[in-house]
Amino acid sequence: MSATEVQKLETYLRRATNALLETEKDLASERAAKVEPVAIVSMACRLPGGIDTPEAFWDLLSEGGDAISGFPKRWENLGLYDEDPEAVGKSYAREGGFLTDVEGFDAEFFGISPREAQSMDPQQRLVLETSWEALERAGIRPDTLTESRTGVYLGSMSSDYGKNAGLGDLDGYVSTGNAGSIISGRLSYSLGLQGPALTVDTACSSSLVAMHLGINALRTGECELALVGGVTVMSTPAIFVEFSRLKGMASDGRCKSFSADADGAGWSEGAGVLVLKRLSDARRDGDNVLAVIKGSAVNQDGRSQGLTAPNGPSQQRVVQEALTAARLSPADIDAIEAHGTGTSLGDPIEAGALTEIFGPERDPDRPLYLGSSKSNIGHAQAAAGVAGVIKMVLALQHESLPKTLHAEAPSSHIEWDGSGLELLQDNQPWQRGERIRRAGVSSFGLSGTNAHVILEEAPADSDDETAAETPEASTPVGVLPVVVSGRTENAMREQAGRWADWLQQHDTADLGAVATTAALHRTHFDSRGAVLASTVEEATQALRALATDQPHDNTVTGTATPRGKIVFVYPGQGSQWHGMGTDLYAHNPAFTAAIDACDTALMPHTGWSVRRVLTDPDHPDNPPLDRVDVVQPAL
């Protein structure tokens, strides 16, 4: 072989080797993306008992609160209750988990006409509100997402709103107002989002299935940010009447998860939305990471013992598949937020499936803690899964596992001994330590579609929520403005009241962080107010005065009007020591520091002080101020 041929062969081999290395690099990058953890950077919710924030939800959970109550006013004239399970068109339960003020909706805020709002399913309204709140809680102004690749993945079951509408009531808004697809589509439309928008209906597992789809979309690059969650509003009592006929409902409307007293499901409603990002993106953007999603899985019962009957082997498989996706073993999981509907059939099947996975070789000193938030708020149907995720994120943050209610006597249909499971009959400490804390959340649909998500504690270097919302914040110096706004004056004053309430509960908050969040991470509407304060206490008092329209020296209100852009003009020679430069040096710390740095750098070359020229132009040691070599450095 000639030297030329050898050279050509070497060149070919070198190129082939480089191509193989590039291919392997691409494959490795693709494999890494498929398993990259996904960060939960914000949460918002509406749940029974007047719960309208995750903080209020935690208060209920940690205190062992029961959010179940009597029928809502919208049903009060229907004559629903009859203790006889055989009574036609009646419900033998007269309590459940209901949202307050379902009818209340600020349609104008979202640019929706009163006529269209009247035809809108309340589920659409709740999704708009909770999604807006979730974004702002993440420090993201919703208007900045216009034309972004933000995905929307929401779980929802069939709507029963406006079911009694006749043909004469069809006004062009009824179809879009009640279509499941519009629940996600309206949110994308309202915010101008251009990522995928899907509404998922797999019955009770809908929100976890939606979350699974959102996680995968982030990992494959279909979207850069994802809003995921679920919603259920019972506009009519149809499910109460239907399950009374099936005798599948708890007589007192309460889910007694894994309890010896379990006597059926207790129905409720709710909404929850999470903001998700790839963990690497969240860290790049300085987001507060509330928790990390390590893996998820979805499967289907297939042909089993019945269309709507729970299937143990399928539940076992979906949990194992989620563990595999997360690259974890059963021993890595500390707790399970179970589906736990409180039925004498479903709970033992679920516990049995968990025993098969977590029971073998489980350390007796480290049982798998088992609980369900359905015991507190009822079964929120399509929102049940996301409510369970919010609960476990809160449990990770507060380092405590809340107890499960109504479980004084665990179900006798479950073999607890040797199962590796321990029912959360009391609050259990769950502190951060050397071992990473993890939990699973299960959701099993009446449709036969099952879902499981595995959560992990946020990285140890994550900041608390307030600080992370405002990465630019620093220790306040002097008086700071805290700004609030609304589309109307009343809305602005209500916002001021909410800020005052929050500050009153967080009196050790960093006022600089609060002011930065208000100024940079909240949407500014036309009706505006501001308070000036140097302490949290002063800010609280001034905001309270603003909220109640009381006179206060440190408050101001006004209405924004269109105006041109602001231009700062710095005139030429002379301005530096005739007011502008000297005033800035005296009052602006950043300017002062910059001039001092310049003075230090220039003095070895000039032999005179720029700082002295600016602050004391008549000093005898200054050079003549009309010389170019003096004027230019001073400028």
Short mmCIF file of all heavy atoms in Angstrom, two decimals, residues 490-525:
data_model
loop_
_atom_site.label_atom_id
_atom_site.label_comp_id
_atom_site.label_asym_id
_atom_site.label_seq_id
_atom_site.Cartn_x
_atom_site.Cartn_y
_atom_site.Cartn_z
N ASN A 490 -60.71 48.81 43.52
CA ASN A 490 -61.09 47.83 44.54
C ASN A 490 -60.14 46.64 44.52
O ASN A 490 -59.74 46.12 45.56
CB ASN A 490 -62.53 47.37 44.34
CG ASN A 490 -63.53 48.42 44.77
OD1 ASN A 490 -63.21 49.31 45.55
ND2 ASN A 490 -64.75 48.32 44.27
N ALA A 491 -59.81 46.18 43.30
CA ALA A 491 -58.89 45.04 43.18
C ALA A 491 -57.52 45.40 43.73
O ALA A 491 -56.86 44.57 44.38
CB ALA A 491 -58.79 44.61 41.72
N MET A 492 -57.07 46.62 43.46
CA MET A 492 -55.78 47.06 43.98
C MET A 492 -55.78 47.06 45.50
O MET A 492 -54.82 46.61 46.14
CB MET A 492 -55.45 48.45 43.43
CG MET A 492 -54.14 49.05 43.93
SD MET A 492 -54.32 49.97 45.48
CE MET A 492 -55.30 51.37 44.91
N ARG A 493 -56.87 47.55 46.10
CA ARG A 493 -56.94 47.59 47.56
C ARG A 493 -57.03 46.18 48.16
O ARG A 493 -56.46 45.91 49.22
CB ARG A 493 -58.11 48.46 48.00
CG ARG A 493 -57.93 49.93 47.61
CD ARG A 493 -58.93 50.84 48.28
NE ARG A 493 -58.83 52.21 47.79
CZ ARG A 493 -57.90 53.09 48.15
NH1 ARG A 493 -56.98 52.73 49.05
NH2 ARG A 493 -57.87 54.31 47.65
N GLU A 494 -57.72 45.28 47.48
CA GLU A 494 -57.76 43.89 47.94
C GLU A 494 -56.37 43.27 47.90
O GLU A 494 -55.98 42.52 48.79
CB GLU A 494 -58.73 43.08 47.07
CG GLU A 494 -60.20 43.40 47.31
CD GLU A 494 -61.11 42.61 46.40
OE1 GLU A 494 -60.61 41.70 45.71
OE2 GLU A 494 -62.33 42.90 46.37
N GLN A 495 -55.62 43.59 46.84
CA GLN A 495 -54.24 43.09 46.74
C GLN A 495 -53.40 43.62 47.89
O GLN A 495 -52.60 42.89 48.49
CB GLN A 495 -53.65 43.52 45.40
CG GLN A 495 -52.25 42.99 45.14
CD GLN A 495 -52.25 41.55 44.71
OE1 GLN A 495 -52.75 40.69 45.42
NE2 GLN A 495 -51.68 41.28 43.55
N ALA A 496 -53.57 44.90 48.21
CA ALA A 496 -52.83 45.47 49.34
C ALA A 496 -53.17 44.74 50.63
O ALA A 496 -52.29 44.48 51.47
CB ALA A 496 -53.15 46.96 49.46
N GLY A 497 -54.43 44.38 50.80
CA GLY A 497 -54.83 43.64 51.99
C GLY A 497 -54.17 42.27 52.06
O GLY A 497 -53.76 41.82 53.14
N ARG A 498 -54.07 41.61 50.91
CA ARG A 498 -53.41 40.28 50.91
C ARG A 498 -51.93 40.40 51.24
O ARG A 498 -51.37 39.56 51.97
CB ARG A 498 -53.62 39.61 49.55
CG ARG A 498 -55.04 39.09 49.34
CD ARG A 498 -55.13 38.19 48.13
NE ARG A 498 -55.02 38.95 46.90
CZ ARG A 498 -56.04 39.49 46.24
NH1 ARG A 498 -57.25 39.37 46.73
NH2 ARG A 498 -55.86 40.14 45.12
N TRP A 499 -51.26 41.43 50.69
CA TRP A 499 -49.86 41.63 51.05
C TRP A 499 -49.72 41.91 52.55
O TRP A 499 -48.80 41.40 53.20
CB TRP A 499 -49.29 42.81 50.26
CG TRP A 499 -48.88 42.47 48.85
CD1 TRP A 499 -49.64 42.56 47.73
CD2 TRP A 499 -47.61 41.98 48.43
NE1 TRP A 499 -48.92 42.16 46.63
CE2 TRP A 499 -47.66 41.80 47.03
CE3 TRP A 499 -46.42 41.69 49.08
CZ2 TRP A 499 -46.58 41.34 46.29
CZ3 TRP A 499 -45.35 41.22 48.34
CH2 TRP A 499 -45.43 41.05 46.96
N ALA A 500 -50.63 42.73 53.10
CA ALA A 500 -50.56 43.03 54.53
C ALA A 500 -50.76 41.78 55.37
O ALA A 500 -50.05 41.56 56.37
CB ALA A 500 -51.62 44.08 54.89
N ASP A 501 -51.71 40.93 54.97
CA ASP A 501 -51.94 39.67 55.69
C ASP A 501 -50.69 38.81 55.68
O ASP A 501 -50.30 38.22 56.70
CB ASP A 501 -53.11 38.91 55.07
CG ASP A 501 -54.45 39.61 55.30
OD1 ASP A 501 -54.53 40.45 56.22
OD2 ASP A 501 -55.40 39.29 54.56
N TRP A 502 -50.06 38.71 54.50
CA TRP A 502 -48.87 37.86 54.38
C TRP A 502 -47.73 38.40 55.25
O TRP A 502 -47.06 37.64 55.96
CB TRP A 502 -48.42 37.79 52.92
CG TRP A 502 -47.36 36.76 52.68
CD1 TRP A 502 -47.54 35.45 52.35
CD2 TRP A 502 -45.94 36.96 52.78
NE1 TRP A 502 -46.31 34.81 52.23
CE2 TRP A 502 -45.32 35.71 52.50
CE3 TRP A 502 -45.14 38.05 53.09
CZ2 TRP A 502 -43.95 35.55 52.50
CZ3 TRP A 502 -43.76 37.89 53.10
CH2 TRP A 502 -43.18 36.65 52.81
N LEU A 503 -47.51 39.69 55.20
CA LEU A 503 -46.43 40.28 55.99
C LEU A 503 -46.69 40.14 57.48
O LEU A 503 -45.75 39.93 58.26
CB LEU A 503 -46.26 41.76 55.63
CG LEU A 503 -45.60 42.04 54.28
CD1 LEU A 503 -45.68 43.51 53.95
CD2 LEU A 503 -44.15 41.57 54.27
N GLN A 504 -47.93 40.23 57.87
CA GLN A 504 -48.25 40.07 59.29
C GLN A 504 -47.91 38.66 59.77
O GLN A 504 -47.49 38.47 60.92
CB GLN A 504 -49.74 40.36 59.51
CG GLN A 504 -50.13 40.43 60.98
CD GLN A 504 -51.54 40.96 61.18
OE1 GLN A 504 -52.13 41.53 60.27
NE2 GLN A 504 -52.08 40.78 62.36
N GLN A 505 -48.08 37.68 58.89
CA GLN A 505 -47.76 36.30 59.24
C GLN A 505 -46.28 35.98 59.07
O GLN A 505 -45.80 34.95 59.54
CB GLN A 505 -48.59 35.34 58.37
CG GLN A 505 -50.09 35.46 58.60
CD GLN A 505 -50.89 34.73 57.54
OE1 GLN A 505 -50.34 34.03 56.70
NE2 GLN A 505 -52.20 34.92 57.56
N HIS A 506 -45.54 36.84 58.36
CA HIS A 506 -44.11 36.62 58.10
C HIS A 506 -43.35 37.88 58.51
O HIS A 506 -42.71 38.54 57.69
CB HIS A 506 -43.87 36.30 56.62
CG HIS A 506 -44.59 35.09 56.13
ND1 HIS A 506 -45.93 35.10 55.78
CD2 HIS A 506 -44.17 33.81 55.93
CE1 HIS A 506 -46.29 33.90 55.38
NE2 HIS A 506 -45.25 33.09 55.47
N ASP A 507 -43.40 38.20 59.80
CA ASP A 507 -42.82 39.46 60.26
C ASP A 507 -41.30 39.47 60.23
O ASP A 507 -40.69 40.51 60.48
CB ASP A 507 -43.34 39.81 61.65
CG ASP A 507 -43.09 38.69 62.66
OD1 ASP A 507 -42.46 37.68 62.30
OD2 ASP A 507 -43.54 38.82 63.82
N THR A 508 -40.66 38.34 59.93
CA THR A 508 -39.20 38.32 59.81
C THR A 508 -38.76 38.31 58.36
O THR A 508 -37.58 38.09 58.06
CB THR A 508 -38.62 37.08 60.53
OG1 THR A 508 -39.16 35.89 59.92
CG2 THR A 508 -38.95 37.09 62.01
N ALA A 509 -39.69 38.55 57.44
CA ALA A 509 -39.36 38.54 56.02
C ALA A 509 -38.36 39.65 55.68
O ALA A 509 -38.29 40.68 56.37
CB ALA A 509 -40.62 38.71 55.19
N ASP A 510 -37.60 39.45 54.62
CA ASP A 510 -36.66 40.44 54.12
C ASP A 510 -37.45 41.48 53.32
O ASP A 510 -37.99 41.18 52.26
CB ASP A 510 -35.63 39.74 53.24
CG ASP A 510 -34.61 40.69 52.63
OD1 ASP A 510 -34.79 41.92 52.75
OD2 ASP A 510 -33.65 40.20 52.01
N LEU A 511 -37.54 42.70 53.83
CA LEU A 511 -38.32 43.73 53.16
C LEU A 511 -37.77 44.02 51.77
O LEU A 511 -38.53 44.33 50.84
CB LEU A 511 -38.35 45.01 54.00
CG LEU A 511 -39.24 46.13 53.47
CD1 LEU A 511 -40.69 45.68 53.34
CD2 LEU A 511 -39.15 47.37 54.34
N GLY A 512 -36.46 43.92 51.61
CA GLY A 512 -35.88 44.12 50.28
C GLY A 512 -36.37 43.08 49.29
O GLY A 512 -36.67 43.39 48.13
N ALA A 513 -36.48 41.82 49.76
CA ALA A 513 -36.99 40.76 48.89
C ALA A 513 -38.45 40.99 48.54
O ALA A 513 -38.89 40.79 47.42
CB ALA A 513 -36.82 39.40 49.58
N VAL A 514 -39.22 41.44 49.54
CA VAL A 514 -40.64 41.72 49.32
C VAL A 514 -40.81 42.82 48.29
O VAL A 514 -41.60 42.73 47.35
CB VAL A 514 -41.33 42.09 50.65
CG1 VAL A 514 -42.76 42.59 50.39
CG2 VAL A 514 -41.35 40.90 51.59
N ALA A 515 -40.06 43.92 48.45
CA ALA A 515 -40.15 45.04 47.52
C ALA A 515 -39.73 44.64 46.12
O ALA A 515 -40.35 45.06 45.12
CB ALA A 515 -39.29 46.20 48.02
N THR A 516 -38.70 43.80 46.00
CA THR A 516 -38.24 43.35 44.69
C THR A 516 -39.28 42.47 44.03
O THR A 516 -39.55 42.59 42.83
CB THR A 516 -36.91 42.58 44.84
OG1 THR A 516 -35.97 43.40 45.51
CG2 THR A 516 -36.36 42.19 43.48
N THR A 517 -39.87 41.56 44.81
CA THR A 517 -40.92 40.70 44.25
C THR A 517 -42.08 41.54 43.73
O THR A 517 -42.57 41.33 42.62
CB THR A 517 -41.43 39.73 45.33
OG1 THR A 517 -40.38 38.85 45.69
CG2 THR A 517 -42.62 38.92 44.82
N ALA A 518 -42.53 42.51 44.53
CA ALA A 518 -43.66 43.34 44.13
C ALA A 518 -43.35 44.14 42.87
O ALA A 518 -44.21 44.31 42.00
CB ALA A 518 -44.03 44.28 45.28
N ALA A 519 -42.13 44.62 42.75
CA ALA A 519 -41.77 45.49 41.62
C ALA A 519 -41.47 44.72 40.35
O ALA A 519 -41.85 45.15 39.25
CB ALA A 519 -40.57 46.35 42.01
N LEU A 520 -40.80 43.56 40.48
CA LEU A 520 -40.28 42.89 39.30
C LEU A 520 -40.97 41.58 38.95
O LEU A 520 -40.87 41.12 37.81
CB LEU A 520 -38.78 42.61 39.48
CG LEU A 520 -37.88 43.82 39.72
CD1 LEU A 520 -36.43 43.38 39.86
CD2 LEU A 520 -38.04 44.84 38.61
N HIS A 521 -41.68 40.98 39.89
CA HIS A 521 -42.21 39.65 39.65
C HIS A 521 -43.73 39.58 39.77
O HIS A 521 -44.29 38.49 39.93
CB HIS A 521 -41.57 38.64 40.62
CG HIS A 521 -40.08 38.57 40.48
ND1 HIS A 521 -39.47 37.88 39.45
CD2 HIS A 521 -39.08 39.11 41.20
CE1 HIS A 521 -38.15 38.00 39.56
NE2 HIS A 521 -37.90 38.74 40.62
N ARG A 522 -44.39 40.71 39.73
CA ARG A 522 -45.85 40.74 39.71
C ARG A 522 -46.31 41.63 38.57
O ARG A 522 -45.63 42.60 38.21
CB ARG A 522 -46.41 41.28 41.05
CG ARG A 522 -46.13 40.36 42.24
CD ARG A 522 -46.85 39.02 42.10
NE ARG A 522 -46.64 38.17 43.26
CZ ARG A 522 -45.69 37.26 43.36
NH1 ARG A 522 -44.81 37.09 42.38
NH2 ARG A 522 -45.60 36.50 44.44
N THR A 523 -47.44 41.29 38.00
CA THR A 523 -47.98 42.07 36.89
C THR A 523 -48.47 43.43 37.39
O THR A 523 -49.10 43.52 38.44
CB THR A 523 -49.15 41.30 36.25
OG1 THR A 523 -48.70 40.00 35.89
CG2 THR A 523 -49.65 42.02 35.00
N HIS A 524 -48.19 44.48 36.62
CA HIS A 524 -48.59 45.83 37.00
C HIS A 524 -49.78 46.27 36.15
O HIS A 524 -49.66 46.49 34.95
CB HIS A 524 -47.42 46.80 36.84
CG HIS A 524 -46.24 46.44 37.68
ND1 HIS A 524 -46.29 46.39 39.05
CD2 HIS A 524 -44.97 46.07 37.35
CE1 HIS A 524 -45.11 46.04 39.53
NE2 HIS A 524 -44.29 45.82 38.51
N PHE A 525 -50.93 46.41 36.82
CA PHE A 525 -52.14 46.85 36.14
C PHE A 525 -52.31 48.36 36.31
O PHE A 525 -51.52 49.02 36.98
CB PHE A 525 -53.34 46.08 36.69
CG PHE A 525 -53.23 44.60 36.49
CD1 PHE A 525 -52.97 43.75 37.57
CD2 PHE A 525 -53.40 44.04 35.24
CE1 PHE A 525 -52.86 42.38 37.39
CE2 PHE A 525 -53.29 42.67 35.04
CZ PHE A 525 -53.02 41.84 36.12
#
